[in-house]
Amino acid sequence: MHPDTHVVTKKGAKKVSELKEDDEVLTHTGEFKKVIKPLKRKYKGKLLVIKTRGTVPVKLTPEHMVWVIKQTRHKSHYSDGRQVIWWEFEGPKWITAQELKENLESETDSKVSYILIQPIPKDSCDIDKIPLRKNTYIANQYGKTNTLHHSVRKPPEFLPLNFETARLIGVWIAEGSISKTGVIKFAIGNHEKKLTKFLVDTIRKYFPYSKVTVEDHERNRRIVRFCNKRFAEWLRENIGHKTHNKIIPELLLFHTNRKVKLGLLMGLIEGDGYILRKGKGRGYYVGYTTTSPGLAYQVQLLLASLGYISSINVAFRKSGIGKTRKPVYTVNISGKSYYSLLEELGVDIPPKGNRTYNVNKIWNEYLLLKVRSIEEEEYEGDVYNLEVEEDESYSVGFIVHNSAGVNLPAYRVIIRDTKRYSNFGWVDIPVLEIQQMMGRAGRPKYDREGQAIIIAKTEKPEDLMKRYVVGKPEKLFSMLSNEASFRSQVLALITNFGIGNFKELVNFLERTFYYHQRKNLEALEGKAKSIVYFLFENGFIDIDLNDQFMPLPLGVRTSQLYLDPVTAKKFKDAFEKLEKNPNPLGVFQLLASTPDMSSLRVRRKEQEDLLDYAYEMEEYLYQNIPYWEDYKFEKFLGEMKTAKLLLDWINEVNDVKILETYEIDTGDLYRILELVDWLMYSLIELYKLFDPKPEVLDFLKKLHIRVKHGVREELLELITLPMVGRKRARALYNAGFKGIDDIVRAKASELLKVEGIGVGVLEKIYQHFGVELPTNDKKKKVKKGTLDEFFK
């Protein structure tokens, strides 16, 4: 990346060249992950400048990877005069910036466009107040007393977070400043009478002991001021005090209360924004200007989280009187979002013009940004990249990969083991896989040779040489021979890749490796026909009078979720029983019965107990218990065993006990939990397509969180705190801290007494609430069983 490229972080946007270890950046999952290591190297050559509708141009090297969706626009006309427009999405997938440029330049169909993706972070903060009072005690000749100083009683203990207070903070972000003595100022125009009245009334309402003054100055300036040192400190610590460095604090940007976000947005627009209502109808828009790039990107994310589409533009102004030398960023809201936003804010709406749509879209919690053009420019200097925790991606207005392994040579490859554990014990790793690993040694254009080393632990070196170096790799077999893979691929071809009828489907399948191996067209057509019939019968696709395939919502979403259609059918068939009797056991047994999840093996000694348990809990199941002679019987018992394990997990049974009871390894447990996490999400997404009942949807979402964290329902509120997992949440709950309000009211010293809560964890919790851990409590908590404890 060019050194001036801005990366979206938890504290606004920062230049990639200024990021450090442990800074948290937005990744393609919509979560913020830590930077493990910033990377820097010299570069001479061409940079590609990607220009999109919605964000500022981004400069990057041609081999850098971006996350792209291919979008195709479709239009249908019906006999009654109706016109329907819809979009087909292919992806997202990772491709290099050079590939994107080539695709863009070679594309001749005007209906096809390429889309870059900006994730919308999930709302995770539900704090309803900002603590303001800082206890100060009276001291005498004997030292500090337990009596509060009289000045402490005057300031409010908390500032409640609502539409009014968020609006007040929004105006301050746009037009405010603070002094070291605690004076808070708002610089507005003297013509803004309504805004003046709002500021005066709100300050008097929430800061009754503070004196509010309004002063008019020359050049139509008006200053509204009041004094509250604690609130001023909070503004300085969480927002900043210099215009070009201000940001929106996390507790407001990611707040779960929509009214709080709307109030913040209203204040920002009233301060540094404007609403264009005059002129040509096509030019209506709401604009917000700032010299803070971090604030500009945050305002775009704030709007996106509210469902509104916006774009960021940047202008570089010449220096002069009354002009800043810093770039000016403008966030614009136009089209359909313009009218919807004004309506929600209760602002007068002008007559609609001839543009009431938005080019960009919001889809599946992502902001989709259409690529306009990609240009080249020569560059010589430093380029930067980031190694990011887990996800290895980050946002620069849209998502890019850190491109680890792309054109980065590996001179030497070391293969530590040639055996691995499977269901049948330890087996040799296939020759093909070992040779693929060795093939990474000595990349073209970088090395004249490469080295591959196989470590011989117990095997004879000559045997390994004969098998893996001289030996031939195994034969390849097409994955389409697997029935589940065949079903999923046929559905994907119809929903995502434009296969319009059965003839086109067979023509495509004839060009696959699967057909190349079998050369049996009749068998291929028969297999494809049975799959198409299955998809048609179960509502994944429809077929019109001209025998053309028509993807239906169930089919499209199933393909997007990478589910086996049989899994989706099982989910759909169970929705009626699920609505009548929502319960964890029924849901877990349903998940375990799908082909996308492998259930636990049942030993003979366990069969009778599991069968008794199944009959005891029969009323909670969504599927009938099969007859004991049925081939499905043993599989059903495995499903019950898996469901029982998951029940233990969400009821906080200890990990070690689970491993002992079900005779599995740690890896097996977390493999099951990972699969259930994905299937629970898929179940919720498919249920949304069938007129869901709010209470059932809420039950499924809570159950999904419980499975993810392994907690009972009473810990769902505590588990949202940073660095608080199932053990720390239970420790807090048992210590009397039942929810967020208890944590907010508690003293730091009380929280530090809880097992597992150290200074580092407590600092993260306090940061989550937008306050700083008191200095007196920043002493390191001595862990039990350490040498420090022993010597004391």
Side-chain angles (χ1 to χ4, degrees):
M1 310 299 298
H2 189 280
D4 292 336
T5 304
H6 283 97
V7 177
V8 180
T9 75
K10 215 168 190 179
K11 298 185 180 298
K14 296 181 181 178
K15 289 182 180 180
V16 66
S17 54
E18 297 173 355
L19 287 173
K20 300 176 182 177
E21 289 183 16
D22 292 334
D23 283 340
E24 294 182 77
V25 297
L26 181 62
T27 70
H28 72 283
T29 61
E31 299 177 349
F32 289 90
K33 297 293 178 68
K34 287 184 179 180
V35 174
I36 298 173
K37 185 179 180 182
L39 305 171
K40 173 184 172 182
R41 66 182 173 95
K42 293 290 183 182
Y43 178 81
K44 182 179 179 181
K46 290 181 180 179
L47 288 182
L48 298 184
V49 184
I50 300 180
K51 297 181 179 180
T52 66
R53 296 182 183 272
T55 190
V56 300
V58 173
K59 300 177 184 179
L60 69 173
T61 54
E63 69 271 14
H64 211 105
M65 300 186 82
V66 292
W67 213 26
V68 179
I69 287 177
K70 183 179 179 182
Q71 173 185 275
T72 306
R73 183 174 182 269
H74 296 282
K75 184 190 292 185
S76 295
H77 296 274
Y78 291 85
S79 56
D80 58 1
R82 287 184 298 126
Q83 176 179 294
V84 177
I85 298 175
W86 76 96
W87 288 266
E88 177 187 345
F89 298 116
E90 178 185 330
K93 61 182 179 180
W94 295 105
I95 64 173
T96 65
Q98 182 63 38
E99 286 180 87
L100 177 59
K101 182 177 184 292
E102 292 169 0
N103 291 345
L104 198 66
E105 292 172 346
S106 62
E107 188 57 64
T108 56
D109 190 348
S110 60
K111 297 176 182 177
V112 174
S113 54
Y114 291 89
I115 307 295
L116 295 174
I117 309 168
Q118 170 74 320
I120 303 169
K122 300 173 180 66
D123 294 335
S124 57
C125 181
D126 56 0
I127 307 303
D128 59 356
K129 61 190 77 169
I130 299 171
L132 294 180
R133 186 176 292 176
K134 195 172 183 179
N135 291 343
T136 305
Y137 297 91
I138 294 174
N140 55 29
Q141 65 269 33
Y142 302 108
K144 187 189 289 187
T145 69
N146 293 326
T147 307
L148 285 173
H149 194 276
H150 67 277
S151 63
V152 175
R153 299 166 191 163
K154 289 186 177 181
E157 185 177 359
F158 296 100
L159 177 66
L161 272 180
N162 52 39
F163 183 88
E164 286 181 329
T165 55
R167 182 180 171 191
L168 181 73
I169 294 171
V171 176
W172 187 87
I173 292 173
E175 300 285 16
S177 62
I178 51 177
S179 71
K180 292 181 180 179
T181 57
V183 177
I184 301 170
K185 300 178 184 178
F186 298 85
I188 60 177
N190 57 18
H191 63 283
E192 296 178 286
K193 295 179 181 179
K194 289 184 179 179
L195 182 56
T196 303
K197 185 177 185 305
F198 163 74
L199 290 173
V200 173
D201 292 347
T202 306
I203 293 168
R204 286 175 177 168
K205 179 178 178 180
Y206 294 101
F207 300 91
Y209 292 100
S210 298
K211 182 181 178 181
V212 187
T213 60
V214 180
E215 301 172 354
D216 285 340
H217 298 265
E218 57 184 14
R219 296 176 64 184
N220 302 321
R221 292 186 304 128
R222 174 173 290 171
I223 303 294
V224 179
R225 73 175 75 199
F226 73 104
C227 184
N228 185 290
K229 193 168 184 179
R230 185 68 192 106
F231 187 43
E233 288 174 359
W234 185 89
L235 292 171
R236 183 188 293 271
E237 292 168 5
N238 293 276
I239 297 174
H241 63 288
K242 293 183 179 179
T243 307
H244 61 281
N245 286 331
K246 284 183 178 178
I247 60 170
I248 300 173
E250 295 173 34
L251 66 89
L252 291 175
L253 183 60
F254 307 127
H255 208 283
T256 54
N257 188 329
R258 187 176 182 86
K259 289 185 178 179
V260 169
K261 286 186 171 184
L262 286 170
L264 175 68
L265 186 60
M266 184 78 168
L268 290 167
I269 293 171
E270 287 175 319
D272 272 339
Y274 50 90
I275 301 173
L276 190 64
R277 294 192 182 88
K278 297 180 181 179
K280 296 181 181 180
R282 191 174 178 84
Y284 292 160
Y285 61 89
V286 176
Y288 176 77
T289 59
T290 177
T291 57
S292 169
L295 194 53
Y297 283 95
Q298 284 185 317
V299 170
Q300 185 179 53
L301 292 178
L302 174 65
L303 286 161
S305 69
L306 291 168
Y308 299 117
I309 297 165
S310 61
S311 61
I312 302 176
N313 302 309
V314 61
F316 300 89
R317 302 170 65 184
K318 295 180 181 178
S319 60
I321 298 174
K323 294 183 180 179
T324 176
R325 294 183 180 181
K326 297 185 182 299
V328 177
Y329 295 83
T330 305
V331 183
N332 289 328
I333 308 104
S334 59
K336 186 178 180 180
S337 290
Y338 168 85
Y339 296 100
S340 302
L341 176 60
L342 293 189
E343 183 179 0
E344 189 167 12
L345 291 177
V347 179
D348 293 338
I349 305 174
K352 288 190 177 182
N354 61 348
R355 178 181 170 186
T356 56
Y357 65 92
N358 291 104
V359 175
N360 294 331
K361 303 173 187 65
I362 291 176
W363 172 75
N364 282 355
E365 297 180 354
Y366 291 101
L367 180 60
L368 305 185
L369 308 170
K370 184 178 179 180
V371 180
R372 289 192 302 168
S373 64
I374 301 179
E375 301 170 359
E376 294 180 350
E377 70 172 41
E378 292 295 330
Y379 175 77
E380 182 177 359
D382 293 330
V383 290
Y384 292 80
N385 205 350
L386 301 173
E387 188 177 341
V388 182
E389 181 184 32
E390 294 181 10
D391 293 339
E392 301 293 0
S393 62
Y394 52 96
S395 170
V396 293
F398 52 82
I399 287 295
V400 298
H401 200 275
N402 71 355
S403 299
V406 178
N407 284 340
L408 298 180
Y411 175 72
R412 183 180 294 109
V413 172
I414 298 176
I415 300 169
R416 188 189 64 183
D417 297 296
T418 57
K419 292 182 181 293
R420 65 182 172 209
Y421 191 78
S422 73
N423 293 334
F424 305 101
W426 289 95
V427 296
D428 290 324
I429 297 176
V431 177
L432 182 62
E433 291 186 32
I434 295 290
Q435 290 186 354
Q436 282 180 328
M437 296 178 200
M438 294 192 294
R440 293 186 59 83
R443 298 290 293 272
K445 298 192 297 183
Y446 294 97
D447 299 313
R448 292 184 178 180
E449 62 180 23
Q451 291 183 358
I453 300 172
I454 301 175
I455 297 177
K457 293 182 177 178
T458 57
E459 306 89 341
K460 293 181 180 179
E462 54 269 23
D463 292 344
L464 293 178
M465 180 70 72
K466 183 178 179 181
R467 175 174 171 78
Y468 289 114
V469 179
V470 182
K472 291 184 178 180
E474 297 83 2
K475 288 185 178 181
L476 294 174
F477 293 94
S478 171
M479 287 297 293
L480 289 181
S481 57
N482 179 286
E483 191 74 20
S485 297
F486 198 95
R487 279 193 300 265
S488 299
Q489 293 303 319
V490 169
L491 179 60
L493 288 170
I494 296 172
T495 57
N496 294 332
F497 296 97
I499 296 296
N501 53 53
F502 188 74
K503 184 178 179 182
E504 290 180 10
L505 176 63
V506 173
N507 288 340
F508 181 91
L509 293 173
E510 277 187 278
R511 299 195 297 272
T512 61
F513 184 56
Y514 174 73
Y515 178 74
H516 173 75
Q517 285 187 313
R518 283 159 179 75
K519 301 291 185 182
N520 189 335
L521 183 60
E522 186 178 350
L524 179 70
E525 287 182 344
K527 191 172 183 179
K529 192 173 290 185
S530 65
I531 297 296
V532 169
Y533 183 75
F534 170 83
L535 297 175
F536 173 71
E537 282 290 298
N538 292 285
F540 294 95
I541 63 171
D542 201 355
I543 302 176
D544 65 13
L545 297 176
N546 297 319
D547 292 331
Q548 294 293 309
F549 296 148
M550 298 171 62
L552 296 177
L554 176 62
V556 173
R557 197 70 187 105
T558 299
S559 182
Q560 290 170 347
L561 293 166
Y562 300 103
L563 281 179
D564 185 332
V566 172
T567 297
K569 179 186 180 301
K570 281 179 172 285
F571 287 169
K572 186 185 76 166
D573 293 344
F575 286 153
E576 186 177 349
K577 292 183 178 179
L578 172 64
E579 289 182 338
K580 291 179 181 176
N581 182 18
N583 70 89
L585 179 64
V587 171
F588 293 154
Q589 191 272 327
L590 172 65
L591 300 183
S593 71
T594 63
D596 282 309
M597 179 154 179
S598 54
S599 54
L600 295 174
R601 292 168 59 190
V602 178
R603 292 169 174 76
R604 188 175 297 277
K605 63 181 180 180
E606 299 174 312
Q607 289 185 356
E608 188 174 345
D609 290 340
L610 286 170
L611 185 60
D612 290 343
Y613 179 72
Y615 278 115
E616 183 183 344
M617 309 300 288
E618 187 173 10
E619 62 180 301
Y620 298 102
L621 302 179
Y622 305 142
Q623 297 177 347
N624 296 326
I625 300 175
Y627 187 57
W628 70 275
E629 289 183 344
D630 195 326
Y631 72 96
K632 296 179 181 178
F633 178 73
E634 190 172 343
K635 183 178 182 302
F636 170 78
L637 292 181
E639 295 163 9
M640 289 302 300
K641 183 178 179 180
T642 306
K644 200 164 178 289
L645 178 148
L646 292 169
L647 275 180
D648 286 348
W649 171 253
I650 65 170
N651 285 313
E652 301 178 40
V653 174
N654 186 275
D655 300 25
V656 176
K657 188 174 181 182
I658 290 177
L659 300 179
E660 290 176 353
T661 303
Y662 297 93
E663 298 181 11
I664 58 174
D665 293 327
T666 306
D668 296 325
L669 173 62
Y670 287 98
R671 175 183 57 82
I672 291 170
L673 295 176
E674 191 176 45
L675 282 171
V676 171
D677 182 26
W678 164 53
L679 289 173
M680 276 299 304
Y681 174 77
S682 302
L683 177 66
I684 292 167
E685 289 298 302
L686 293 184
Y687 182 57
K688 289 178 183 177
L689 301 176
F690 293 90
D691 191 22
K693 291 184 177 180
E695 63 274 13
V696 177
L697 191 60
D698 184 58
F699 162 78
L700 290 174
K701 287 180 178 179
K702 286 182 178 178
L703 184 59
H704 186 199
I705 298 171
R706 290 181 63 192
V707 168
K708 196 169 185 178
H709 298 283
V711 295
R712 294 175 183 267
E713 194 165 348
E714 65 263 24
L715 299 187
L716 288 178
E717 192 174 351
L718 292 173
I719 209 73
T720 60
L721 295 172
M723 296 184 72
V724 175
R726 66 195 307 231
K727 292 182 179 178
R728 285 175 179 154
R730 176 52 61 190
L732 285 167
Y733 190 89
N734 291 342
F737 305 105
K738 309 291 185 182
I740 299 295
D741 285 342
D742 296 328
I743 300 289
V744 171
R745 295 192 192 99
K747 293 180 181 178
S749 57
E750 295 173 341
L751 292 170
L752 285 170
K753 294 177 182 177
V754 178
E755 184 182 357
I757 305 298
V759 174
V761 175
L762 195 57
E763 279 184 336
K764 289 292 183 182
I765 293 173
Y766 270 58
Q767 287 172 14
H768 179 70
F769 295 141
V771 296
E772 189 177 349
L773 182 64
T775 309
N776 295 338
D777 295 304
K778 287 189 177 179
K779 298 175 183 176
K780 287 190 176 180
K781 181 179 176 182
V782 180
K783 294 182 180 179
K784 295 179 180 178
T786 63
L787 284 173
D788 289 342
E789 179 71 13
F790 175 78
F791 286 123
K792 286 183 180 180

